[in-house]
Amino acid sequence: MAHSGQPNSMLLSAALDATAKSLNAAWQAKTSDDLEWIAATPDHVLDFERLNSRHRMSLIQSALTADITVAAKNTKVLVSASGSEIASIELHRDVSDPAVAQFWNGQLAKVHNRKWHRDERLSEIVLQQTDILSFMTLPTNLGPTTHPYTLLYLQAVLKAVFKVTSEVKRHFQLVRPADLAPEINPVIQTPAHSAYPSGHATESFSLAVVLETLLFDGASTELKSIAARITDNRAIAGVHYPADGLAGATLGLALASTLLSRTFDKAGGTGSTIEPIFAELHHSLDADAVTAGPQSDGTVQVTLCPNSEIEDLTGDLLRFPHPGNLKPNTGEGLPQQALAWLAGKVLKECGLG
């Protein structure tokens, strides 16, 4: 926040205080007409352009993540939005089963073998600890002067995805590769939270789906390839199994389609007519299992098997079909109004409104 002339500072506040006291203005009680605003909502309160950025983001976050729940069921974690399942992520962990033990030994071997690729990826690995947005917008012409509201929306998407992914991680609580094999020698600090699913994968694939919906006419191989590279960098760094990335990418598609449906409405009514995609990751111990893809009912199925790699998901497999002419999803309530305000700005910047 700032005053009219310059940013806040102790010196400025002290000088303003001295000036104000020199005016020696006497206190006057307010009339009932003056006090009418007490019982009213001033127009500027609903002016989201003027609203403090933190408060505005809080409203937008509330609209994006409302009624999203996470629950465990046997070997799966289910994510639901407004009572409907949008994602199912499965993982086998009973290593008393020789096939399961073999799978995890294979995962550790893959992480260890990736050590030899660190030289060429180290700058990316370090920067992507805190910044994946710069990489995900590489195929676009987005910038703070040309697309400030689009960047604000992408930041909101990242925050929403982080919130849900954190809850999914808490259900799995999977130890990191270096906890089992210290010889992996991670080159960055190993996070203390669950490895599965990868937050970087979930966030980058969510951004890929959102960006291709707003800026590309159909699926973008470039965006998915960058998301896959970001995901693989975490395994190269030694802090994730390849399996974490496939689960994160699957969850990313489900979350992106849900967030898009809450933001935009292809009909422009009071409720979105965009249907979120149900995405399911099935864990198979069959080395010959084949990753599936979009099904006839509109769902997406991904198979995690011993031979699975994140590059399997760079084509049309994880794709949210472009819904056509988009309008803000007006909905009801202050949070949804804030999100609709932002949606209108985004559509204009992206040439869709």
Side-chain angles (χ1 to χ4, degrees):
M1 294 187 292
H3 286 285
S4 301
Q6 58 180 290
N8 263 333
S9 70
M10 178 61 76
L11 178 61
L12 177 59
S13 294
L16 289 173
D17 182 48
T19 302
K21 290 174 178 174
S22 73
L23 299 176
N24 199 28
W27 161 253
Q28 292 182 347
K30 304 304 177 185
T31 67
S32 57
D33 289 341
D34 294 329
L35 294 173
E36 282 186 354
W37 268 26
I38 295 294
T41 302
D43 290 340
H44 70 261
V45 171
L46 298 177
D47 184 353
F48 299 112
E49 192 82 43
R50 295 177 58 183
L51 195 61
N52 175 275
S53 60
R54 290 175 60 211
H55 290 254
R56 184 172 59 198
M57 180 61 80
S58 177
L59 288 172
I60 292 168
Q61 285 298 106
S62 295
L64 287 175
T65 60
D67 300 321
I68 294 181
T69 59
V70 179
K73 184 178 181 181
N74 300 322
T75 60
K76 300 179 181 180
V77 168
L78 305 176
V79 182
S80 300
S82 301
S84 299
E85 289 183 7
I86 60 170
S88 172
I89 309 296
E90 183 179 33
L91 190 64
H92 292 307
R93 307 170 66 178
D94 182 6
V95 293
S96 64
D97 180 341
V100 176
Q102 183 180 10
F103 172 83
W104 286 109
N105 264 314
Q107 290 287 297
L108 287 168
K110 287 183 177 184
V111 178
H112 185 264
N113 291 340
R114 279 166 163 80
K115 285 176 64 173
W116 319 118
H117 297 282
R118 288 174 180 170
D119 285 350
E120 61 188 86
R121 300 284 188 96
L122 195 55
S123 63
E124 298 173 42
I125 288 170
V126 172
L127 289 170
Q128 287 165 2
Q129 291 180 96
T130 56
D131 179 14
I132 66 171
L133 187 55
S134 295
F135 293 86
M136 289 306 306
T137 56
L138 189 60
T140 71
N141 189 27
L142 289 182
T145 56
T146 59
H147 293 78
Y149 296 103
T150 304
L151 290 173
L152 175 62
Y153 179 61
L154 295 177
Q155 291 286 359
V157 167
L158 285 174
K159 290 178 181 293
V161 170
F162 175 82
K163 180 179 184 296
V164 179
T165 308
S166 296
E167 294 185 38
V168 177
K169 283 175 174 286
R170 281 197 291 272
H171 283 282
F172 282 110
Q173 292 296 343
L174 179 65
V175 296
R176 298 277 174 163
D179 292 323
L180 301 175
E183 62 271 22
I184 285 172
N185 308 128
V187 290
I188 57 175
Q189 182 65 51
T190 300
H193 52 264
S194 174
Y196 191 86
S198 165
H200 275 64
T202 312
E203 293 168 8
S204 57
F205 275 90
S206 290
L207 287 178
V209 173
V210 170
L211 284 168
E212 69 182 16
T213 300
L214 294 174
L215 297 171
F216 291 77
D217 186 18
S220 167
T221 301
E222 279 186 294
L223 286 169
K224 298 290 174 42
S225 295
I226 294 172
R229 187 178 175 97
I230 291 171
T231 299
D232 197 35
N233 282 343
R234 300 292 284 175
I236 293 173
V239 298
H240 271 294
Y241 311 95
D244 303 336
L246 273 86
T250 307
L251 179 60
L253 170 66
L255 291 178
S257 67
T258 296
L259 300 182
L260 286 167
S261 73
R262 293 182 169 199
T263 309
F264 304 107
D265 177 4
K266 64 183 178 182
T270 57
S272 182
T273 56
I274 299 175
E275 290 294 329
I277 289 175
F278 174 76
E280 177 181 26
L281 181 131
H282 171 65
H283 187 182
S284 171
L285 300 173
D286 180 2
D288 297 322
V290 178
T291 298
Q295 306 297 298
S296 58
D297 61 358
T299 64
V300 169
Q301 293 181 358
V302 176
T303 300
L304 167 63
C305 69
N307 293 330
S308 295
E309 296 290 352
I310 192 63
E311 288 78 9
D312 298 335
L313 305 183
T314 56
D316 285 347
L317 176 62
L318 296 186
R319 180 185 177 188
F320 181 51
H322 199 289
N325 187 34
L326 296 173
K327 296 183 182 297
N329 181 5
T330 52
E332 298 180 355
L334 191 60
Q336 189 62 43
Q337 290 176 38
L339 182 57
W341 164 83
L342 180 57
K345 298 286 189 179
V346 170
L347 292 175
K348 185 175 181 180
E349 285 182 351
C350 295
L352 299 173

